Amino acid sequence: MESQRNILVIALLLVSFLIWQQWQTDKAPQPETAQQSTQTSTGDDSFVPESDQAGGEVPADAPTTASRQLVTITSDTLELTIDTQGGDIVRAELLEHNDELNSDDKFVLLSQGANFVNVAQSGLIGRDGPDASANGRPLYQAEQKRYQLAEGESSLSVPLTFTNEAGVTFTKTFTLERGRYVVGVNYDINNPSSQPVQAQLYAQLKQSESKPGDDGGSMLMASAYRGPAYSTSETRYSKYDFKDVREANLNRTTEGGWVGMLQHYFVSAWVAPENGENQLYTRFLNNQGQGIIGFKAPVTTVPAGSEQSISAKLWLGPKLQDEMAEVAPNLDLTVDYGWLWFIAQPLFKLLQFLQSFAVNWGLAIILTTFVVRGIMYPLTKAQYTSMAKMRMLQPKLMALRERYGDDRQKMSQGMMELYKKEKVNPLGGCLPILIQMPIFISLYWVLMESVELRHAPFMLWIDDLSVRDPYFVLPILMGASMYVIQKMSPTTVTDPMQQKVMQFMPIIFTFFFLWFPAGLTLYWLVSNVVTISQQWYIFRQLEKKGLHGKAAS
């Protein structure tokens, strides 16, 4: 199989991949209006239907109260804004991640505005739950408006309190830990009354389906998923996009589990209590264009004159696989490497390992290229040896064509006998290409999904490996290296049309790589340079054996 034809195979696979990806974007459903949706409603879009065990409902929105306040809690990694009406997190800034490269503004994961809502809500429903009261959600009291994790302290706990008419005190405590993106949310129920109190913990994430200014990104970045996802004891990880939420309410019962809202590089996720059966649910608010995914814990009964606690955890941060795996089983799967995850995962581990020595992620990509191409060297050698042997057989193949003419069956049998006799594998030249394409696509997903590479600089003008080269230097160099490979490779292509197509391959690939992340283009450029070196070395060895010289004659 000729080198140029192998390049054509790469081009066809790559174009197919890009077309499929763009089709996914173009065919994505548009948000429905309230009149268009077939979602059933209970008449009030502010409430999710109650569970079978509880006597209350899960509120989606809090009524405005004049005395409500916003409380700010700051650690070294997070700055949270809490609405005392219900105790919801209405804003979350990630202090170690800038919004844009070289920007002083921090990345905002949760926010609440006129055109876009993305908040984390939680509360107590059930027969005596304060969030199921006919008077609206509880108005918590805080001792101060701002809390800051002090130097030398490992954690910060902020209590909000509410006492109902029966004298039952509900204390909602937020706990932030130094260096972590996990928020502990704990409810202490102190029941001094003469009657038992029943309450059910719920926690949910609410987000607008459409985001202002979000046009889906470029052709190559459009596939980054944004939307709900969940995990149960039976389903390790499953996306449940806004279309699914609009069409049918999720209803899963599981021990443990989590629910989340995913976006490029970042995730917010509620982790349900490990003990007991939790109910996972979704709801679409037709009149607001917002989707909800959440869980309800089992009903808790607090006897008269006693106190009891209910708690959950909330991840608000980047997709850090090791840290998320410690927080909840399968939460690290939100780093979605697609169907080639079994290749992407080792590639990321290799990148991470090499980066610990190289310090720079760009150098780690270069070292990874050397490792991958080094492992593939036996296949590469077999490829070029096969190319040389196939060229040697061209006169004999031409003789077979003249002998059998249009008799394809005899021609095919004769070719197979010839390949067997000469010990030539006609597919030997294709195998390295077929192996390299999955590696290429896997590395693309690693660069797309790994937040470690976000805003990661290389050198000189490359200050972010996760986006395209701003001056297109790497794509141009990559195209030039493809041209060199093309000129070095022997060919038997005689058809004028095929020759023209082959001549344009470097240009076509250069155009495609203009929009690829710089890290991926760097990988392909270095891979081409290694290919040129290996090709020169292998052909030189073949010339010494006289094989290449015979093939070229």
Side-chain angles (χ1 to χ4, degrees):
M1 186 67 69
E2 298 297 337
S3 176
Q4 285 86 348
R5 290 181 180 177
N6 290 338
I7 295 175
L8 182 58
V9 171
I10 295 178
L12 292 175
L13 290 173
L14 184 60
V15 171
S16 299
F17 171 67
L18 298 177
I19 292 174
W20 172 82
Q21 197 169 44
Q22 188 61 36
W23 181 88
Q24 290 285 90
T25 303
D26 295 340
K27 295 298 181 180
Q30 299 300 316
E32 294 180 346
T33 63
Q35 290 77 16
Q36 293 173 323
S37 176
T38 58
Q39 175 80 31
T40 58
S41 174
T42 58
D44 183 0
D45 272 341
S46 296
F47 293 89
V48 172
E50 65 189 34
S51 70
D52 294 335
Q53 295 176 307
E57 296 178 330
V58 178
D61 297 303
T64 303
T65 303
S67 57
R68 72 198 297 179
Q69 296 179 343
L70 296 178
V71 175
T72 302
I73 309 173
T74 306
S75 70
D76 60 328
T77 56
L78 292 171
E79 182 172 285
L80 307 182
T81 302
I82 313 294
D83 189 343
T84 57
Q85 186 81 53
D88 296 334
I89 302 177
V90 295
R91 185 177 177 86
E93 291 188 24
L94 309 186
L95 302 181
E96 294 185 339
H97 294 267
N98 294 335
D99 184 37
E100 300 289 344
L101 185 66
N102 301 323
S103 170
D104 293 330
D105 296 329
K106 300 305 177 182
F107 183 83
V108 178
L109 180 58
L110 301 182
S111 63
Q112 183 169 256
N115 299 321
F116 183 75
V117 171
N118 184 14
V119 296
Q121 302 176 311
S122 60
L124 296 176
I125 53 175
R127 189 189 67 190
D128 304 305
D131 290 271
S133 171
N135 298 324
R137 302 188 68 196
L139 179 63
Y140 287 95
Q141 301 298 318
E143 293 183 357
Q144 56 194 65
K145 290 185 178 181
R146 298 191 67 88
Y147 296 83
Q148 175 79 43
L149 179 65
E151 288 292 335
E153 291 187 350
S154 59
S155 64
L156 171 65
S157 295
V158 177
L160 307 177
T161 59
F162 169 77
T163 303
N164 66 10
E165 296 177 353
V168 180
T169 299
F170 300 88
T171 303
K172 186 174 186 177
T173 303
F174 294 89
T175 301
L176 278 66
E177 300 179 35
R178 182 175 297 278
R180 303 193 69 193
Y181 292 96
V182 180
V183 180
V185 180
N186 183 78
Y187 280 91
D188 286 311
I189 306 174
N190 185 3
N191 179 21
S193 70
S194 59
Q195 300 295 325
V197 170
Q198 287 188 354
Q200 182 182 27
L201 171 66
Y202 82 91
Q204 63 187 24
L205 298 160
K206 182 175 68 172
Q207 187 176 126
S208 300
E209 181 178 17
S210 58
K211 187 175 182 180
D214 185 6
D215 57 359
S218 68
M219 180 175 68
L220 295 177
M221 305 300 286
S223 58
Y225 176 75
R226 183 179 75 86
Y230 68 92
S231 176
T232 68
S233 56
E234 296 180 351
T235 304
R236 298 175 62 208
Y237 167 69
S238 179
K239 297 175 184 176
Y240 201 81
D241 61 26
F242 287 109
K243 176 186 175 183
D244 297 326
V245 175
R246 279 187 278 117
E247 291 181 348
N249 288 331
L250 175 70
N251 186 10
R252 298 281 192 277
T253 301
T254 179
E255 186 171 347
W258 55 261
V259 294
M261 285 285 187
L262 279 56
Q263 63 188 74
H264 198 196
Y265 293 130
F266 302 95
V267 61
S268 51
W270 279 108
V271 180
E274 297 181 359
N275 300 322
E277 294 291 319
N278 303 298
Q279 179 191 1
L280 310 187
Y281 64 86
T282 61
R283 178 72 188 276
F284 193 78
L285 307 183
N286 296 321
N287 60 336
Q288 300 173 51
Q290 299 166 357
I292 289 175
I293 187 167
F295 77 84
K296 302 175 195 176
V299 173
T300 297
T301 301
V302 183
S306 64
E307 186 174 352
Q308 199 161 332
S309 298
I310 314 172
S311 62
K313 291 181 289 186
L314 174 64
W315 175 275
L316 294 173
K319 296 178 180 178
L320 301 174
Q321 297 179 58
D322 294 338
E323 288 84 347
M324 289 192 294
E326 295 176 0
V327 173
N330 306 317
L331 187 57
D332 57 316
L333 297 183
T334 55
V335 182
D336 191 351
Y337 290 139
W339 60 279
L340 289 172
W341 60 269
F342 55 92
I343 299 177
Q345 280 281 7
L347 272 177
F348 174 73
K349 294 297 183 182
L350 176 61
L351 266 174
Q352 199 173 38
F353 172 74
L354 294 174
Q355 190 272 339
S356 64
F357 293 98
V359 180
N360 185 294
W361 282 100
L363 294 177
I365 291 174
I366 293 175
L367 293 176
T368 299
T369 310
F370 289 150
V371 171
V372 171
R373 293 313 303 264
I375 293 174
M376 291 178 59
Y377 177 74
L379 293 175
T380 302
K381 184 178 180 180
Q383 174 189 9
Y384 290 116
T385 302
S386 176
M387 288 168 54
K389 289 182 177 181
M390 286 295 293
R391 280 188 58 85
M392 290 179 60
L393 295 180
Q394 288 303 311
K396 296 181 180 180
L397 290 173
M398 291 297 294
L400 287 176
R401 292 190 182 95
E402 292 177 1
R403 181 188 307 173
Y404 296 116
D406 296 332
D407 193 334
R408 295 186 178 181
Q409 183 176 356
K410 290 185 178 181
M411 178 65 184
S412 178
Q413 291 175 351
M415 290 174 63
M416 290 299 104
E417 291 175 0
L418 180 61
Y419 292 150
K420 185 176 181 180
K421 179 181 177 180
E422 300 292 340
K423 297 180 180 180
V424 173
N425 181 5
L427 299 179
C430 296
L431 187 57
I433 302 298
L434 296 177
I435 292 178
Q436 187 156 328
M437 281 309 299
I439 295 175
F440 172 78
I441 296 173
S442 298
L443 188 61
Y444 168 79
W445 284 112
V446 168
L447 295 177
M448 276 280 292
E449 282 290 305
S450 300
V451 69
E452 290 86 352
L453 288 152
R454 180 179 186 262
H455 296 170
F458 176 39
M459 60 177 62
L460 302 176
W461 70 97
I462 304 297
D463 50 14
D464 188 352
L465 289 164
S466 66
V467 299
R468 65 175 176 82
D469 182 340
Y471 302 113
F472 306 116
V473 175
L474 290 179
I476 293 173
L477 291 176
M478 189 281 308
S481 66
M482 284 194 67
Y483 177 79
V484 173
I485 292 175
Q486 189 180 69
K487 288 300 181 182
M488 288 179 64
S489 301
T491 179
T492 58
V493 176
T494 57
D495 181 75
M497 182 60 67
Q498 289 190 34
Q499 289 179 347
K500 289 182 179 180
V501 171
M502 295 304 172
Q503 291 173 359
F504 280 102
M505 277 297 117
I507 299 175
I508 294 172
F509 261 62
T510 300
F511 174 77
F512 282 135
F513 274 81
L514 292 176
W515 316 111
F516 273 120
L520 192 65
T521 309
L522 176 64
Y523 165 80
W524 201 258
L525 170 61
V526 176
S527 180
N528 283 351
V529 173
V530 174
T531 297
I532 292 171
S533 303
Q534 290 179 341
Q535 188 171 341
W536 175 84
Y537 174 78
I538 293 170
F539 281 163
R540 187 173 182 182
Q541 296 301 310
L542 292 175
E543 287 176 358
K544 290 181 179 180
K545 295 179 180 180
L547 182 58
H548 185 51
K550 293 178 182 179
S553 61

mmCIF file of all heavy atoms in Angstrom, residues 343 346-347 350 354 367-382 431-432 435-436 439 523 527 530 534:
data_model
loop_
_atom_site.group_PDB
_atom_site.id
_atom_site.type_symbol
_atom_site.label_atom_id
_atom_site.label_comp_id
_atom_site.label_asym_id
_atom_site.label_seq_id
_atom_site.Cartn_x
_atom_site.Cartn_y
_atom_site.Cartn_z
ATOM 1 N N ILE A 343 -7.913 4.292 25.158
ATOM 2 C CA ILE A 343 -6.640 4.793 24.637
ATOM 3 C C ILE A 343 -6.331 6.150 25.263
ATOM 4 O O ILE A 343 -5.186 6.442 25.618
ATOM 5 C CB ILE A 343 -6.673 4.914 23.103
ATOM 6 C CG1 ILE A 343 -6.927 3.552 22.460
ATOM 7 C CG2 ILE A 343 -5.372 5.510 22.574
ATOM 8 C CD1 ILE A 343 -7.057 3.595 20.946
ATOM 9 N N PRO A 346 -4.815 6.096 29.146
ATOM 10 C CA PRO A 346 -3.353 5.895 29.269
ATOM 11 C C PRO A 346 -2.540 7.048 28.686
ATOM 12 O O PRO A 346 -1.479 7.386 29.223
ATOM 13 C CB PRO A 346 -3.118 4.597 28.484
ATOM 14 C CG PRO A 346 -4.429 3.892 28.482
ATOM 15 C CD PRO A 346 -5.458 4.975 28.444
ATOM 16 N N LEU A 347 -3.038 7.649 27.596
ATOM 17 C CA LEU A 347 -2.330 8.784 27.017
ATOM 18 C C LEU A 347 -2.255 9.945 28.006
ATOM 19 O O LEU A 347 -1.211 10.597 28.147
ATOM 20 C CB LEU A 347 -3.026 9.244 25.730
ATOM 21 C CG LEU A 347 -2.619 8.569 24.425
ATOM 22 C CD1 LEU A 347 -3.459 9.107 23.272
ATOM 23 C CD2 LEU A 347 -1.136 8.763 24.141
ATOM 24 N N LEU A 350 0.180 9.087 30.710
ATOM 25 C CA LEU A 350 1.536 9.248 30.198
ATOM 26 C C LEU A 350 1.911 10.726 30.120
ATOM 27 O O LEU A 350 3.014 11.127 30.532
ATOM 28 C CB LEU A 350 1.650 8.596 28.815
ATOM 29 C CG LEU A 350 2.992 8.750 28.081
ATOM 30 C CD1 LEU A 350 4.111 8.106 28.886
ATOM 31 C CD2 LEU A 350 2.904 8.151 26.684
ATOM 32 N N LEU A 354 4.953 12.437 32.242
ATOM 33 C CA LEU A 354 6.052 13.133 31.581
ATOM 34 C C LEU A 354 6.086 14.611 31.946
ATOM 35 O O LEU A 354 7.158 15.211 32.046
ATOM 36 C CB LEU A 354 5.933 12.966 30.061
ATOM 37 C CG LEU A 354 6.123 11.532 29.541
ATOM 38 C CD1 LEU A 354 5.848 11.464 28.046
ATOM 39 C CD2 LEU A 354 7.524 11.025 29.855
ATOM 40 N N LEU A 367 7.507 14.637 24.214
ATOM 41 C CA LEU A 367 8.026 13.369 24.754
ATOM 42 C C LEU A 367 7.031 12.235 24.526
ATOM 43 O O LEU A 367 7.429 11.102 24.223
ATOM 44 C CB LEU A 367 8.336 13.527 26.244
ATOM 45 C CG LEU A 367 9.485 14.479 26.600
ATOM 46 C CD1 LEU A 367 9.610 14.615 28.109
ATOM 47 C CD2 LEU A 367 10.796 13.997 25.991
ATOM 48 N N THR A 368 5.746 12.551 24.666
ATOM 49 C CA THR A 368 4.716 11.537 24.402
ATOM 50 C C THR A 368 4.768 11.075 22.954
ATOM 51 O O THR A 368 4.615 9.891 22.652
ATOM 52 C CB THR A 368 3.314 12.103 24.720
ATOM 53 O OG1 THR A 368 3.253 12.456 26.104
ATOM 54 C CG2 THR A 368 2.224 11.080 24.412
ATOM 55 N N THR A 369 5.006 12.021 22.051
ATOM 56 C CA THR A 369 5.124 11.673 20.624
ATOM 57 C C THR A 369 6.278 10.707 20.404
ATOM 58 O O THR A 369 6.153 9.713 19.678
ATOM 59 C CB THR A 369 5.340 12.940 19.782
ATOM 60 O OG1 THR A 369 4.357 13.918 20.115
ATOM 61 C CG2 THR A 369 5.247 12.617 18.296
ATOM 62 N N PHE A 370 7.423 11.008 21.040
ATOM 63 C CA PHE A 370 8.582 10.113 20.907
ATOM 64 C C PHE A 370 8.263 8.717 21.436
ATOM 65 O O PHE A 370 8.645 7.710 20.830
ATOM 66 C CB PHE A 370 9.785 10.696 21.654
ATOM 67 C CG PHE A 370 10.374 11.910 21.006
ATOM 68 C CD1 PHE A 370 10.998 12.891 21.757
ATOM 69 C CD2 PHE A 370 10.304 12.094 19.637
ATOM 70 C CE1 PHE A 370 11.548 14.010 21.169
ATOM 71 C CE2 PHE A 370 10.838 13.216 19.022
ATOM 72 C CZ PHE A 370 11.466 14.177 19.794
ATOM 73 N N VAL A 371 7.559 8.657 22.570
ATOM 74 C CA VAL A 371 7.214 7.353 23.156
ATOM 75 C C VAL A 371 6.287 6.582 22.228
ATOM 76 O O VAL A 371 6.492 5.388 21.939
ATOM 77 C CB VAL A 371 6.564 7.539 24.543
ATOM 78 C CG1 VAL A 371 6.008 6.212 25.061
ATOM 79 C CG2 VAL A 371 7.573 8.103 25.534
ATOM 80 N N VAL A 372 5.232 7.263 21.729
ATOM 81 C CA VAL A 372 4.260 6.600 20.855
ATOM 82 C C VAL A 372 4.925 6.124 19.573
ATOM 83 O O VAL A 372 4.744 4.976 19.145
ATOM 84 C CB VAL A 372 3.083 7.549 20.539
ATOM 85 C CG1 VAL A 372 2.177 6.956 19.456
ATOM 86 C CG2 VAL A 372 2.276 7.823 21.804
ATOM 87 N N ARG A 373 5.701 6.991 18.935
ATOM 88 C CA ARG A 373 6.346 6.606 17.687
ATOM 89 C C ARG A 373 7.428 5.552 17.915
ATOM 90 O O ARG A 373 7.700 4.727 17.039
ATOM 91 C CB ARG A 373 6.938 7.827 16.991
ATOM 92 C CG ARG A 373 5.913 8.832 16.492
ATOM 93 C CD ARG A 373 4.764 8.180 15.745
ATOM 94 N NE ARG A 373 5.213 7.386 14.622
ATOM 95 C CZ ARG A 373 5.270 7.817 13.370
ATOM 96 N NH1 ARG A 373 4.879 9.048 13.085
ATOM 97 N NH2 ARG A 373 5.678 7.023 12.405
ATOM 98 N N GLY A 374 8.051 5.604 19.083
ATOM 99 C CA GLY A 374 9.029 4.571 19.406
ATOM 100 C C GLY A 374 8.376 3.200 19.537
ATOM 101 O O GLY A 374 8.903 2.192 19.055
ATOM 102 N N ILE A 375 7.218 3.171 20.192
ATOM 103 C CA ILE A 375 6.482 1.908 20.329
ATOM 104 C C ILE A 375 6.024 1.403 18.966
ATOM 105 O O ILE A 375 6.006 0.199 18.704
ATOM 106 C CB ILE A 375 5.276 2.108 21.271
ATOM 107 C CG1 ILE A 375 5.765 2.399 22.698
ATOM 108 C CG2 ILE A 375 4.361 0.886 21.257
ATOM 109 C CD1 ILE A 375 4.650 2.760 23.653
ATOM 110 N N MET A 376 5.673 2.338 18.081
ATOM 111 C CA MET A 376 5.163 1.964 16.763
ATOM 112 C C MET A 376 6.264 1.730 15.732
ATOM 113 O O MET A 376 5.971 1.374 14.585
ATOM 114 C CB MET A 376 4.233 3.072 16.238
ATOM 115 C CG MET A 376 2.928 3.205 16.994
ATOM 116 S SD MET A 376 1.931 4.560 16.335
ATOM 117 C CE MET A 376 1.742 4.038 14.631
ATOM 118 N N TYR A 377 7.533 1.880 16.142
ATOM 119 C CA TYR A 377 8.620 1.760 15.172
ATOM 120 C C TYR A 377 8.626 0.416 14.434
ATOM 121 O O TYR A 377 8.823 0.386 13.207
ATOM 122 C CB TYR A 377 9.970 1.993 15.838
ATOM 123 C CG TYR A 377 11.124 1.812 14.879
ATOM 124 C CD1 TYR A 377 11.404 2.777 13.904
ATOM 125 C CD2 TYR A 377 11.914 0.664 14.927
ATOM 126 C CE1 TYR A 377 12.444 2.601 13.006
ATOM 127 C CE2 TYR A 377 12.965 0.481 14.036
ATOM 128 C CZ TYR A 377 13.225 1.453 13.076
ATOM 129 O OH TYR A 377 14.238 1.277 12.189
ATOM 130 N N PRO A 378 8.438 -0.721 15.115
ATOM 131 C CA PRO A 378 8.406 -1.980 14.365
ATOM 132 C C PRO A 378 7.336 -1.996 13.272
ATOM 133 O O PRO A 378 7.560 -2.533 12.177
ATOM 134 C CB PRO A 378 8.110 -3.027 15.450
ATOM 135 C CG PRO A 378 8.631 -2.417 16.709
ATOM 136 C CD PRO A 378 8.337 -0.962 16.571
ATOM 137 N N LEU A 379 6.187 -1.372 13.562
ATOM 138 C CA LEU A 379 5.135 -1.310 12.549
ATOM 139 C C LEU A 379 5.532 -0.361 11.413
ATOM 140 O O LEU A 379 5.246 -0.619 10.241
ATOM 141 C CB LEU A 379 3.824 -0.849 13.184
ATOM 142 C CG LEU A 379 3.184 -1.816 14.185
ATOM 143 C CD1 LEU A 379 1.963 -1.177 14.828
ATOM 144 C CD2 LEU A 379 2.804 -3.120 13.507
ATOM 145 N N THR A 380 6.185 0.747 11.794
ATOM 146 C CA THR A 380 6.628 1.695 10.775
ATOM 147 C C THR A 380 7.662 1.051 9.854
ATOM 148 O O THR A 380 7.622 1.216 8.626
ATOM 149 C CB THR A 380 7.234 2.947 11.443
ATOM 150 O OG1 THR A 380 6.261 3.535 12.310
ATOM 151 C CG2 THR A 380 7.657 3.972 10.405
ATOM 152 N N LYS A 381 8.589 0.314 10.459
ATOM 153 C CA LYS A 381 9.597 -0.387 9.654
ATOM 154 C C LYS A 381 8.942 -1.394 8.716
ATOM 155 O O LYS A 381 9.300 -1.493 7.530
ATOM 156 C CB LYS A 381 10.593 -1.087 10.570
ATOM 157 C CG LYS A 381 11.727 -1.771 9.826
ATOM 158 C CD LYS A 381 12.714 -2.398 10.789
ATOM 159 C CE LYS A 381 13.849 -3.085 10.024
ATOM 160 N NZ LYS A 381 14.836 -3.700 10.950
ATOM 161 N N ALA A 382 7.950 -2.114 9.254
ATOM 162 C CA ALA A 382 7.231 -3.086 8.416
ATOM 163 C C ALA A 382 6.490 -2.383 7.289
ATOM 164 O O ALA A 382 6.387 -2.898 6.169
ATOM 165 C CB ALA A 382 6.264 -3.891 9.275
ATOM 166 N N LEU A 431 -1.400 -0.780 8.298
ATOM 167 C CA LEU A 431 -1.580 -1.011 9.726
ATOM 168 C C LEU A 431 -1.118 0.151 10.594
ATOM 169 O O LEU A 431 -1.841 0.574 11.505
ATOM 170 C CB LEU A 431 -0.863 -2.309 10.132
ATOM 171 C CG LEU A 431 -1.090 -2.785 11.571
ATOM 172 C CD1 LEU A 431 -2.579 -2.982 11.831
ATOM 173 C CD2 LEU A 431 -0.308 -4.062 11.850
ATOM 174 N N PRO A 432 0.081 0.726 10.380
ATOM 175 C CA PRO A 432 0.486 1.859 11.216
ATOM 176 C C PRO A 432 -0.473 3.034 11.119
ATOM 177 O O PRO A 432 -0.710 3.741 12.100
ATOM 178 C CB PRO A 432 1.874 2.222 10.664
ATOM 179 C CG PRO A 432 2.370 0.959 10.038
ATOM 180 C CD PRO A 432 1.147 0.314 9.451
ATOM 181 N N ILE A 435 -3.582 2.343 13.154
ATOM 182 C CA ILE A 435 -3.317 2.442 14.589
ATOM 183 C C ILE A 435 -3.138 3.899 15.000
ATOM 184 O O ILE A 435 -3.591 4.320 16.064
ATOM 185 C CB ILE A 435 -2.061 1.625 14.957
ATOM 186 C CG1 ILE A 435 -2.350 0.129 14.789
ATOM 187 C CG2 ILE A 435 -1.614 1.912 16.384
ATOM 188 C CD1 ILE A 435 -1.169 -0.757 15.068
ATOM 189 N N GLN A 436 -2.508 4.697 14.146
ATOM 190 C CA GLN A 436 -2.231 6.079 14.507
ATOM 191 C C GLN A 436 -3.482 6.944 14.545
ATOM 192 O O GLN A 436 -3.560 7.884 15.339
ATOM 193 C CB GLN A 436 -1.208 6.675 13.533
ATOM 194 C CG GLN A 436 -0.732 8.060 13.946
ATOM 195 C CD GLN A 436 0.617 8.399 13.369
ATOM 196 O OE1 GLN A 436 1.445 7.521 13.176
ATOM 197 N NE2 GLN A 436 0.842 9.671 13.095
ATOM 198 N N ILE A 439 -5.112 6.913 17.934
ATOM 199 C CA ILE A 439 -4.252 7.651 18.861
ATOM 200 C C ILE A 439 -4.428 9.147 18.658
ATOM 201 O O ILE A 439 -4.527 9.919 19.619
ATOM 202 C CB ILE A 439 -2.780 7.236 18.668
ATOM 203 C CG1 ILE A 439 -2.585 5.769 19.061
ATOM 204 C CG2 ILE A 439 -1.851 8.134 19.475
ATOM 205 C CD1 ILE A 439 -1.197 5.246 18.784
ATOM 206 N N TYR A 523 1.753 17.817 18.349
ATOM 207 C CA TYR A 523 1.933 16.360 18.320
ATOM 208 C C TYR A 523 2.124 15.864 16.892
ATOM 209 O O TYR A 523 3.029 15.076 16.602
ATOM 210 C CB TYR A 523 0.737 15.670 18.968
ATOM 211 C CG TYR A 523 0.659 14.188 18.665
ATOM 212 C CD1 TYR A 523 1.447 13.284 19.367
ATOM 213 C CD2 TYR A 523 -0.178 13.698 17.666
ATOM 214 C CE1 TYR A 523 1.397 11.923 19.085
ATOM 215 C CE2 TYR A 523 -0.235 12.346 17.371
ATOM 216 C CZ TYR A 523 0.546 11.465 18.092
ATOM 217 O OH TYR A 523 0.501 10.130 17.794
ATOM 218 N N SER A 527 5.393 14.281 15.224
ATOM 219 C CA SER A 527 5.235 12.933 14.679
ATOM 220 C C SER A 527 5.727 12.865 13.242
ATOM 221 O O SER A 527 6.371 11.888 12.834
ATOM 222 C CB SER A 527 3.766 12.516 14.758
ATOM 223 O OG SER A 527 3.576 11.214 14.244
ATOM 224 N N VAL A 530 9.517 12.911 13.239
ATOM 225 C CA VAL A 530 10.014 11.573 13.588
ATOM 226 C C VAL A 530 9.837 10.626 12.403
ATOM 227 O O VAL A 530 10.717 9.807 12.105
ATOM 228 C CB VAL A 530 9.275 11.034 14.830
ATOM 229 C CG1 VAL A 530 9.677 9.583 15.105
ATOM 230 C CG2 VAL A 530 9.578 11.897 16.046
ATOM 231 N N GLN A 534 12.681 8.454 10.670
ATOM 232 C CA GLN A 534 12.577 6.998 10.586
ATOM 233 C C GLN A 534 12.583 6.526 9.132
ATOM 234 O O GLN A 534 13.209 5.519 8.795
ATOM 235 C CB GLN A 534 11.306 6.528 11.299
ATOM 236 C CG GLN A 534 11.352 6.674 12.805
ATOM 237 C CD GLN A 534 10.059 6.213 13.473
ATOM 238 O OE1 GLN A 534 9.012 6.107 12.831
ATOM 239 N NE2 GLN A 534 10.136 5.931 14.761
#
